[in-house]
């Protein structure tokens, strides 16, 4: 009947989550505002990108309010009468966010490259496998979590390959302006997405860094992967008629 120890965010982590929530709300308003300045059939990338930051705003509101998490045992000291168990705060709400937003990010990119819909669909399905294996792995207490992690990494390897090879070639065939827009956003994405499993490894996976540091690591990645990516993508589409992409 000893005491248990919970590893959780402090006010520092919460404050950072509030700040990022504000960034996501602001970005959403900017993207929706920019959409309104375009004719309706030129708004597809504004709408997709605004939806991404809109979902993230709600996820960050949850984490800032210290909601959307569950305690997961990270260490179990069977014979210690004082410390009965150590658990870590795992924010499952991240994965609800990612399950909705990573397919939208991939749509932004693959539609920019003019990829045919069966490819877009399959890359998105593989992406959903990646997010769900990450969630299940985060909730599993035993070292089986690393098995789920390995499946997720295999899925990511396929996605990155499709982006940096297949889609890049496809985009450049549609014109140098489309090729350039794709390469800037595609390389940012390939670079950032590879850092997510690194963050997972030291947070949900290995419990190496604190939940406050987790807020910094995932927070920087999310700001770059959503609002900064979105601004770059919308800027890249200036002067590109969606009709050239079959949209
Ligand atoms: C997990 C763990 C399992 C292995 C891999 C992962 C990759 C996650 C990625 C997330 C991207 C999120 C983005 C969010 C919004 O901005 C699930 C962490 C490979 C790539 C871009």
């Amino acid at each position: 009947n000893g005491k248990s120890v919970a590893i959780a965010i402090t006010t520092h982590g919460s404050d950072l989550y509030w700040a990022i929530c504000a960034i996501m709300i602001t970005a959403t308003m900017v993207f929706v505002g920019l959409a309104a300045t375009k004719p309706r059939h030129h708004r597809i990338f504004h709408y997709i990108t605004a939806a991404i930051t809109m979902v993230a705003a709600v996820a960050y509101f949850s984490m800032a309010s210290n909601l959307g998490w569950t305690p997961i045992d990270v260490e179990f000291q069977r014979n210690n009468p004082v410390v009965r168990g150590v658990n870590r705060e795992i924010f499952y709400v991240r994965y609800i966010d990612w399950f909705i937003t990573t397919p939208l990010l991939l749509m932004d990119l693959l539609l920019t490259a003019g990829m045919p819909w069966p490819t877009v669909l399959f890359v998105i399905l593989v992406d959903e496998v990646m997010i769900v294996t990450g969630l299940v792995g985060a909730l599993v207490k035993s070292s089986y979590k690393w098995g789920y992690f390995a499946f997720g990494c295999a899925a990511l390897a396929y996605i990155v390959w499709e982006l940096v090879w297949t889609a890049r070639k496809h985009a450049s065939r549609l014109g140098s302006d489309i090729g350039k827009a794709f390469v800037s956003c595609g390389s940012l994405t390939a670079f950032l997405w590879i850092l997510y499993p690194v963050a997972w490894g030291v947070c949900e996976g290995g419990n190496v860094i604190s939940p406050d540091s987790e807020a910094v690591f995932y927070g920087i990645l999310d700001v770059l992967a959503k609002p900064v990516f979105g601004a770059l993508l919308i800027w890249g589409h200036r002067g590109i008629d969606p009709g050239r992409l079959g949209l």
Side-chain angles (χ1 to χ4, degrees), residues 161-224:
W161 167 260
E162 284 294 313
L163 290 178
V164 305
W165 187 250
T166 325
R168 184 179 52 82
K169 279 202 309 189
H170 207 276
S172 66
R173 276 201 300 268
L174 296 178
S176 69
D177 51 348
I178 295 175
K180 259 193 243 157
F182 181 82
V183 165
S184 60
C185 300
S187 17
L188 178 67
T189 296
F191 172 70
L192 293 174
W193 284 37
I194 289 170
L195 294 174
Y196 279 86
V198 176
W200 191 98
V202 294
C203 299
E204 290 99 323
N207 187 37
V208 177
I209 66 174
S210 72
D212 277 353
S213 307
E214 170 185 332
V216 175
F217 201 154
Y218 278 131
I220 292 174
L221 289 181
D222 282 354
V223 168
L224 294 174

Side-chain angles (χ1 to χ4, degrees), residues 95 99 126-139 148 152:
Y95 300 87
F99 194 80
V126 172
D127 173 76
E128 287 175 339
V129 169
M130 176 184 81
I131 301 303
V132 173
T133 54
L135 172 61
V136 175
L139 300 177
Y148 288 96

Side-chain angles (χ1 to χ4, degrees), residues 98 101-102 105 130 134 149 152-153 156 193 196-197 200 222 225-226:
W98 296 349
T101 59
T102 53
L105 289 163
M130 176 184 81
F149 180 72
C153 289
L156 178 61
W193 284 37
Y196 279 86
W200 191 98
D222 282 354
K226 288 183 170 113

